[in-house]
Amino acid sequence: STSTSTSTSTTSTTTVVTTTTSSTSTTLSTTSTTVSTTTTTTGTTTTTSVCPAGSFLTGGNCSSCNPGSYCVDDVRYACPAGYYCPTESLDIAQSCPVGSFSASSAVTCTVWHACSPVEYEMSAPSATTNRLCAALTVCAAATQFELQAPTATSNRQCADYSTLPSVAAAGVSATVTER
């Protein structure tokens, strides 16, 4: 069984008369402008737009899409996070290049922050978030030693010299390095 429904949206400045039969609803008016026609057949939607690609319908007129947004089928959408919309009249959002991110409604993408040699990565970056870095712990030279060296994604672990016998008893091998 195939079902087909056709819907025509109209704008009018005069009285609108609606006629309904068993499977068709028709809207008529004496002065009207067709805005868009949608035909649906078993879950597939085909839309015919009034405005050109990269523009949207507002108040019966077509307007160019603003930077930070894109327009499809006469509707304006905010550029989603992870994408950018740099110019007017876009009909598709552009993905941020690898190594960058954006929030929603972005006109550009931002290059991920690089952690400095005295920082570690606390949170990995993505297409929608920047990398978060935190300062590496510095062991107090007079009272602490480095129990575990830092990596690009983990902090340095320090321990007090006073715990050295208990650390050794626990089977942890530690190299005493003053930093």
Side-chain angles (χ1 to χ4, degrees):
S1 165
T2 301
S3 68
T4 301
S5 65
T6 301
S7 159
T8 303
S9 301
T10 57
T11 58
S12 175
T13 56
T14 59
T15 306
V16 175
V17 177
T18 301
T19 306
T20 304
T21 61
S22 63
S23 63
T24 305
S25 175
T26 307
T27 302
L28 303 171
S29 66
T30 56
T31 57
S32 66
T33 304
T34 300
V35 173
S36 66
T37 301
T38 304
T39 303
T40 305
T41 306
T42 59
T44 305
T45 302
T46 306
T47 303
T48 305
S49 299
V50 171
C51 297
S55 59
F56 66 101
L57 193 62
T58 179
N61 298 312
C62 295
S63 297
S64 291
C65 234
N66 303 342
S69 62
Y70 67 102
C71 298
V72 177
D73 297 330
D74 301 335
V75 179
R76 180 177 53 186
Y77 300 96
C79 207
Y83 293 81
Y84 69 110
C85 302
T87 61
E88 289 183 0
S89 301
L90 280 181
D91 62 350
I92 188 167
Q94 299 173 21
S95 294
C96 285
V98 173
S100 65
F101 74 101
S102 75
S104 64
S105 300
V107 175
T108 62
C109 295
T110 305
V111 174
W112 292 332
H113 173 76
C115 297
S116 75
V118 294
E119 296 177 315
Y120 70 99
E121 182 180 277
M122 199 166 80
S123 178
S126 70
T128 60
T129 60
N130 201 356
R131 174 181 285 117
L132 294 177
C133 302
L136 287 170
T137 297
V138 177
C139 299
T143 60
Q144 294 181 319
F145 64 96
E146 184 178 82
L147 182 62
Q148 184 176 7
T151 67
T153 59
S154 67
N155 197 2
R156 172 181 291 118
Q157 299 291 317
C158 300
D160 290 337
Y161 284 121
S162 63
T163 64
L164 198 51
S166 62
V167 169
V172 175
S173 111
T175 305
V176 177
T177 307
E178 289 187 10
R179 293 197 188 244

